[in-house]
Amino acid sequence: MKNHLSKWLGASVAVLLAFNAMAADTVKVGILHSLSGTMAISETSLRDILLFAFDEINKTGGVKIGGKSYMIEPVIVDGASNWPLFAEKAKQLLEEDKCAVVFGCWTSVSRKSVLPVFEKDNGMLFYPVQYEGEELSKNIFYTAEAVNQQATPAVDYLLAQGKKKFYLIGTDYVYPQTTNLILYKYLLLHGVSLDSIGGGLRKDDSGKVISAGKYTPFGHTDYQQIVAEIKQFAAGGDACVINTINGDSNVPFFKEVAAAGLTPADCPVVSFSLAEDELRALPTKDLVGELGCWTYFMSIKSKENKAFLKRWDDWLKTEDHPGVVKEKRAVDSPMVLSYDGVYLWKAAVEKAGTFEVEKVRETLESGSISFDGPGGKTTMQKNHHTIKNVYIGDTRADGQFKILKTFDGIAGEPFLLKGLDEKLAAMK
């Protein structure tokens, strides 16, 4: 009798849960990333972490508004590393699928391609990947690291380590170009001589420097000549490399660095678009000691991060989304900033009591929305950027980072160029 009763109760609970799930309202949420092409090495993992966050929220009752629960229904599109296509897909998510919010883009060129669409349709985009700043749209919330939350702290660290020569290299698009222009001026302001900034300069007709560093196209594979130039630049000692190469070009670049015999002891490389996830595809035994600067490392020793990583591992064992790789997974800063963005949006929606973009925006801009995430507490500011911790670490043989320095609670500031120009002008 007891066994029959247990079976009956179990079946009843299952039916009730199924009924509640069917009865629950849904909200469509867009995922806009490159799932193919040169950027897929980085962006597919952002899709995966977003699906994990959505499943986690749905499992705990969904997004709650006015006594009702809304299950997140993901709408996934592939930007295919094709920037005009990103704009088309953004239009689809907003106008056809009627998504309440979109999480996506990696490169700044993809973000700038979709920006007019979000502004025209008054959509909301959460952007999670380190970027160059010099932008503020009412329709974008930047959980990403701004330059003052990644690039300048890394330079400060290297200067403190006695580095006097800085070689700038990146992929030829807006993020590396603008970041390196900021760093060129930042280095001059901090006493680094012009001939100690490598990679080359480009000037306009008036003689003003408009670009600093060496650049290669997306998908570039031949770095032999550039690495030879870096080796010559570093020959006198006290040199380092600032690397803003994006995507799978990092693989041949670092293989060439290793083949040339350049070591972190000779000339360390600090990378701003290379984290634990990409390190899975690199010969990490040859990269021990190379540097990274992010607002999250997998090696952070906190109860929040430990619990997060366990939930992520458990999800990978049971999830059934197409295309998600289950084996040998890592977590990195862009993934965590995507995850944080979902919870910041959820908190703002629940506080606003609506999915309406204007009301959610006002709530996010209030400064009252925070989330205690795996990398520490993150708070959205009025300027659509977040306050968060910054970490500098060096690469270990297992593809993880040993944390060397922590900067607590750094407020994101998107506009740096004007202030640097004013300070440099005052020095003349």
Side-chain angles (χ1 to χ4, degrees):
M1 181 67 181
K2 185 180 291 187
N3 287 339
H4 286 300
L5 181 60
S6 297
K7 289 179 181 179
W8 181 84
L9 286 172
S12 298
V13 169
V15 169
L16 183 60
L17 288 173
F19 176 78
N20 287 340
M22 291 172 59
D25 289 303
T26 61
V27 56
K28 288 185 177 180
V29 172
I31 296 178
L32 175 55
H33 279 299
S34 293
L35 308 179
S36 57
T38 189
M39 290 307 302
I41 185 176
S42 298
E43 295 192 58
T44 51
S45 288
L46 301 196
R47 172 206 59 191
D48 297 349
I49 202 76
L50 288 168
L51 290 173
F52 165 58
F54 299 162
D55 284 351
E56 194 171 66
I57 289 170
N58 287 343
K59 185 178 179 181
T60 55
V63 182
K64 300 176 178 64
I65 299 177
K68 293 180 67 175
S69 292
Y70 294 82
M71 298 294 112
I72 294 175
E73 179 185 336
V75 182
I76 305 170
V77 294
D78 180 10
S81 306
N82 179 322
W83 320 133
L85 183 61
F86 264 85
E88 293 178 27
K89 294 297 184 180
K91 185 176 181 180
Q92 173 195 321
L93 290 171
L94 295 177
E95 297 181 7
E96 296 177 25
D97 297 308
K98 307 294 183 184
C99 290
V101 64
V102 176
F103 297 88
C105 298
W106 181 290
T107 67
S108 286
V109 66
S110 64
R111 187 193 70 253
K112 287 186 178 293
S113 294
V114 306
L115 189 151
V117 179
F118 279 88
E119 292 186 337
K120 173 181 173 291
D121 292 336
N122 196 30
M124 180 176 286
L125 172 69
F126 275 75
Y127 178 69
V129 183
Q130 79 287 351
Y131 89 120
E132 72 285 351
E134 306 304 315
E135 175 184 295
L136 181 56
S137 169
K138 71 172 187 176
N139 296 94
I140 301 180
F141 284 90
Y142 309 79
T143 58
E145 289 100 345
V147 173
N148 77 307
Q149 294 173 312
Q150 186 184 41
T152 57
V155 166
D156 289 341
Y157 176 82
L158 289 164
L159 287 168
Q161 296 298 305
K163 301 304 175 187
K164 296 180 174 61
K165 298 172 67 179
F166 294 76
Y167 190 100
L168 310 178
I169 183 171
T171 301
D172 192 7
Y173 76 105
V174 62
Y175 161 64
Q177 290 274 7
T178 307
T179 298
N180 285 333
L181 184 60
I182 291 170
L183 291 182
Y184 161 73
K185 296 179 180 187
Y186 191 81
L187 287 166
L188 291 178
L189 191 64
H190 285 75
V192 178
S193 63
L194 190 61
D195 60 359
S196 294
I197 302 174
L201 300 176
R202 186 162 60 91
K203 302 179 181 180
D204 63 13
D205 293 339
S206 69
K208 179 183 177 182
V209 174
I210 57 174
S211 178
K214 182 82 69 177
Y215 296 94
T216 58
F218 282 99
H220 190 72
T221 58
D222 184 5
Y223 285 94
Q224 185 174 1
Q225 183 176 342
I226 293 173
V227 170
E229 183 179 310
I230 292 172
K231 191 170 184 178
Q232 184 177 0
F233 176 82
D238 295 333
C240 60
V241 175
I242 305 293
N243 171 30
T244 49
I245 295 172
N246 260 249
D248 53 10
S249 290
N250 273 295
V251 176
F253 171 70
F254 274 100
K255 285 183 177 177
E256 191 63 46
V257 167
L262 274 173
T263 70
D266 303 323
C267 179
V269 180
V270 59
S271 300
F272 301 151
S273 295
L274 189 67
E276 292 93 334
D277 197 45
E278 289 82 8
L279 285 172
R280 293 181 300 150
L282 289 167
T284 52
K285 68 181 186 339
D286 296 325
L287 300 178
V288 172
E290 303 291 19
L291 301 171
C293 183
W294 297 94
T295 54
Y296 171 82
F297 283 128
M298 211 172 160
S299 55
I300 291 173
K301 299 186 185 304
S302 69
K303 62 179 182 181
E304 290 83 5
N305 188 42
K306 183 177 180 180
F308 163 78
L309 291 173
K310 184 180 187 307
R311 294 196 307 273
W312 165 251
D313 287 340
D314 290 345
W315 178 80
L316 286 172
K317 294 172 186 174
T318 59
E319 67 79 33
D320 58 359
H321 297 284
V324 176
V325 176
K326 295 176 177 289
E327 304 300 325
K328 297 181 180 179
R329 295 305 301 266
V331 179
D332 61 14
S333 189
M335 293 171 71
V336 165
L337 295 179
S338 296
Y339 179 85
D340 289 351
V342 175
Y343 277 93
L344 288 169
W345 171 77
K346 175 181 181 288
V349 166
E350 292 181 340
K351 186 168 184 178
T354 178
F355 292 111
E356 185 183 334
V357 168
E358 295 289 348
K359 297 288 180 61
V360 176
R361 180 190 299 125
E362 288 174 10
T363 305
L364 285 164
E365 289 176 344
S366 70
S368 64
I369 301 301
S370 297
F371 175 62
D372 289 319
K377 184 178 181 180
T378 180
T379 302
M380 186 60 69
Q381 303 174 105
K382 186 176 179 60
N383 69 0
H384 289 215
H385 291 69
T386 59
I387 301 169
K388 49 186 175 278
N389 299 336
V390 176
Y391 306 93
I392 294 175
D394 62 3
T395 310
R396 304 287 84 189
D398 61 358
Q400 296 296 309
F401 287 87
K402 177 184 177 182
I403 297 173
L404 302 173
K405 188 172 181 61
T406 302
F407 301 88
D408 292 323
I410 304 299
E413 172 49 60
F415 298 104
L416 298 181
L417 275 174
K418 182 180 179 181
L420 288 170
D421 285 338
E422 291 172 349
K423 290 176 182 177
L424 286 171
M427 290 173 60
K428 293 180 180 179

